[in-house]
């Protein structure tokens, strides 16, 4: 049973659960379109196309995970969130997943809602929440940005893999004999290793862009540094 693949194939999850997640994914992507239109400008629009093309190209290249006997590739949620923001970023990853399913058969067409939920929506949302937190506590230097990209990329992959575990619990077509915890542990362990590759690719790409054109990194523009605490005068009019 191919339960280690983030691109879920047809037949792994039953039809009703797949339909529910398809409706959920469509609703969230509609919201992303509405919110993303506010961010689109002459700088972000072409950047979104470049990000989608880059994720599509890099996803075609698998890197082996020798200790697990599988291979992994970039999911792109953290990379997209850093460069074009969460709303447009989720749309970029979703477009890549749709093209891969329709043209290359990578993931079942009937399972698109599940795959989009895990990789485009959940992965991008978790990544951006971590990015927003880390960029408020880490220095906005290449090192700080690289750490932010690596951590958000790694954790977003692991969380996305647990989205599959939830979906399988709701509608998996093969009985695991009550060993859902084993599936969750296996998915987390394998995708932790894949997440290391995701984090390295994300950090290298974003830091490279930031060194040349920091204005093209959405997270640096949109997330303002934390304001310093106001100085309170001492009581009693001390001078």
């Amino acid at each position: 049973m191919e339960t280690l693949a983030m691109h879920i194939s047809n037949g792994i999850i039953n039809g009703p659960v797949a339909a529910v997640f398809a409706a959920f994914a469509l609703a969230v992507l509609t919201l992303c379109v509405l919110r993303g239109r506010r961010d689109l400008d002459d700088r972000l629009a072409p950047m979104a196309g470049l990000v989608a093309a880059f994720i599509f190209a890099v996803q075609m290249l698998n890197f082996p995970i020798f200790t697990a006997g599988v291979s992994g590739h970039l999911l792109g949620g953290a990379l997209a969130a850093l460069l074009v923001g969460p709303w447009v970023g989720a749309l970029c990853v979703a477009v890549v997943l749709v093209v891969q399913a329709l043209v290359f058969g990578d993931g079942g067409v009937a399972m698109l809602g599940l795959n989009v939920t895990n990789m485009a929506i959940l992965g991008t949302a978790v990544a951006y929440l971590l990015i927003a937190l880390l960029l408020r506590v880490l220095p906005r230097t290449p090192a700080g940005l690289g750490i932010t990209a690596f951590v958000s990329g790694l954790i977003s992959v692991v969380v996305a893999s647990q989205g599959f575990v939830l979906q399988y619990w709701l509608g998996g077509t093969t009985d695991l004999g009550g060993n859902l915890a084993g599936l969750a542990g296996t998915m987390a362990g394998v995708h932790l290793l894949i997440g290391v590759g995701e984090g390295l690719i994300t950090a290298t790409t974003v830091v490279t862009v930031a060194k040349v054109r920091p204005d093209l990194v959405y997270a640096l523009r949109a997330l303002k540094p934390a304001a310093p605490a106001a100085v309170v005068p001492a009581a009693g009019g001390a001078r």
Side-chain angles (χ1 to χ4, degrees):
M1 186 178 64
E2 297 178 3
T3 55
L4 295 180
M6 281 300 297
H7 290 273
I8 304 170
S9 302
N10 288 334
I12 292 181
I13 308 294
N14 65 37
V17 171
V20 169
F21 277 94
F24 171 77
L26 182 60
V28 175
L29 291 180
T30 300
L31 176 62
C32 289
V33 170
L34 297 176
R35 294 296 300 269
R37 290 175 62 184
R38 303 178 185 179
D39 295 331
L40 285 178
D41 53 24
D42 293 340
R43 175 171 46 190
L44 190 62
M47 192 65 181
L50 291 174
V51 167
F54 180 80
I55 292 174
F56 178 82
V58 178
Q59 277 199 5
M60 304 300 288
L61 305 175
N62 283 24
F63 49 86
I65 307 297
F66 297 107
T67 58
V70 297
S71 63
H73 62 69
L74 181 80
L75 299 188
L79 177 65
L82 279 160
L83 294 179
V84 295
W87 308 108
V88 178
L91 293 172
C92 289
V93 179
V95 168
V96 172
L97 295 174
V98 170
V99 172
Q100 287 184 336
L102 295 178
V103 178
F104 297 99
D106 198 355
V109 175
M111 303 291 112
L112 258 176
L114 301 164
N115 287 320
V116 168
T117 297
N118 293 339
M119 290 181 275
I121 297 173
L122 185 58
T124 305
V126 169
Y128 195 73
L129 289 175
L130 288 168
I131 292 163
L133 173 64
L134 291 173
L135 284 182
R136 291 186 179 278
V137 297
L138 292 175
R140 299 197 173 201
T141 60
L145 184 61
I147 293 172
T148 298
F150 179 82
V151 172
S152 60
L154 188 154
I155 295 180
S156 66
V157 169
V158 176
V159 173
S161 75
Q162 297 308 296
F164 168 77
V165 176
L166 171 63
Q167 293 162 353
Y168 200 89
W169 176 66
L170 293 172
T173 55
T174 302
D175 185 12
L176 296 177
N179 193 26
L180 189 69
L183 174 61
T186 301
M187 290 290 290
V190 170
H191 286 86
L192 180 63
L193 298 175
I194 294 174
V196 172
E198 174 98 8
L200 291 173
I201 295 172
T202 302
T204 302
T205 304
V206 173
V207 170
T208 300
V209 173
K211 286 182 176 180
V212 179
R213 290 285 303 273
D215 59 302
L216 294 181
V217 180
Y218 176 93
L220 294 180
R221 302 195 312 269
L223 298 172
K224 304 300 182 183
V231 178
V232 180
R239 298 182 182 179

